[in-house]
Amino acid sequence: RVQPRLDAACIQLCWDLALELGSVDMAASEAFHLQRIFLEAFTNVLKHARARHVELRGEVVNASAGGHDPWVHIELKDDGDGLRTDSDASTGQGIRNMRYRADKLGAALTVESVAPTGTTVRLKWPVGSLPGA
């Protein structure tokens, strides 16, 4: 969905998604929230970052010896300007909506920015037992 918009903005996308992500059993509502979180993150890159490169990485981290359930880690990182922190910076709904959707999933969402090296959006989502595990 976003590739044509990235191409038009001359932003190079690097995908690094683990095959195991396809084994995550999720409800349609969960898939919808994940999609909307990362569509908003991509939209922020396109509208605000003045980035040239963006990376999307995802993996399933299996249960540890301590008995923890597996979790999904997805990260979107750009090389743009970073978030504005001055008092004139807009406080739009985008990141608030992303956090709301992450909360609905029971996931942790972090947004880190270091100007001028870009912004990283990380989602850590406990997914319970994977099929066939």
Side-chain angles (χ1 to χ4, degrees):
R1 281 178 103 167
V2 297
Q3 188 66 57
R5 293 173 58 203
L6 294 171
D7 290 345
C10 298
I11 299 174
Q12 181 182 15
L13 173 62
C14 173
W15 291 83
D16 184 9
L17 300 174
L19 293 175
E20 297 86 24
L21 286 173
S23 68
V24 175
D25 188 25
M26 68 180 82
S29 62
E30 293 171 322
F32 179 77
H33 286 306
L34 284 175
Q35 177 191 45
R36 292 299 181 184
I37 289 167
F38 286 97
L39 281 175
E40 180 64 39
F42 274 113
T43 298
N44 288 342
V45 170
L46 286 160
K47 288 173 101 175
H48 308 294
R50 295 191 302 192
R52 289 282 148 261
H53 299 90
V54 63
E55 298 177 11
L56 179 65
R57 301 189 183 285
E59 66 179 335
V60 175
V61 178
N62 289 318
S64 69
H68 299 284
D69 286 337
W71 49 276
V72 169
H73 179 247
I74 302 173
E75 178 178 281
L76 183 84
K77 182 176 183 177
D78 71 65
D79 66 350
D81 293 340
L83 295 172
R84 290 180 55 195
T85 58
D86 62 351
S87 60
D88 294 330
S90 171
T91 56
Q93 290 293 320
I95 292 175
R96 274 182 252 157
N97 289 341
M98 292 165 60
R99 291 190 192 289
Y100 171 80
R101 291 182 184 284
D103 286 346
K104 287 290 191 184
L105 290 170
L109 180 80
T110 58
V111 180
E112 297 175 344
S113 180
V114 181
T117 59
T119 301
T120 302
V121 175
R122 289 186 186 93
L123 182 88
K124 184 177 177 182
W125 178 36
V127 293
S129 298
L130 297 175

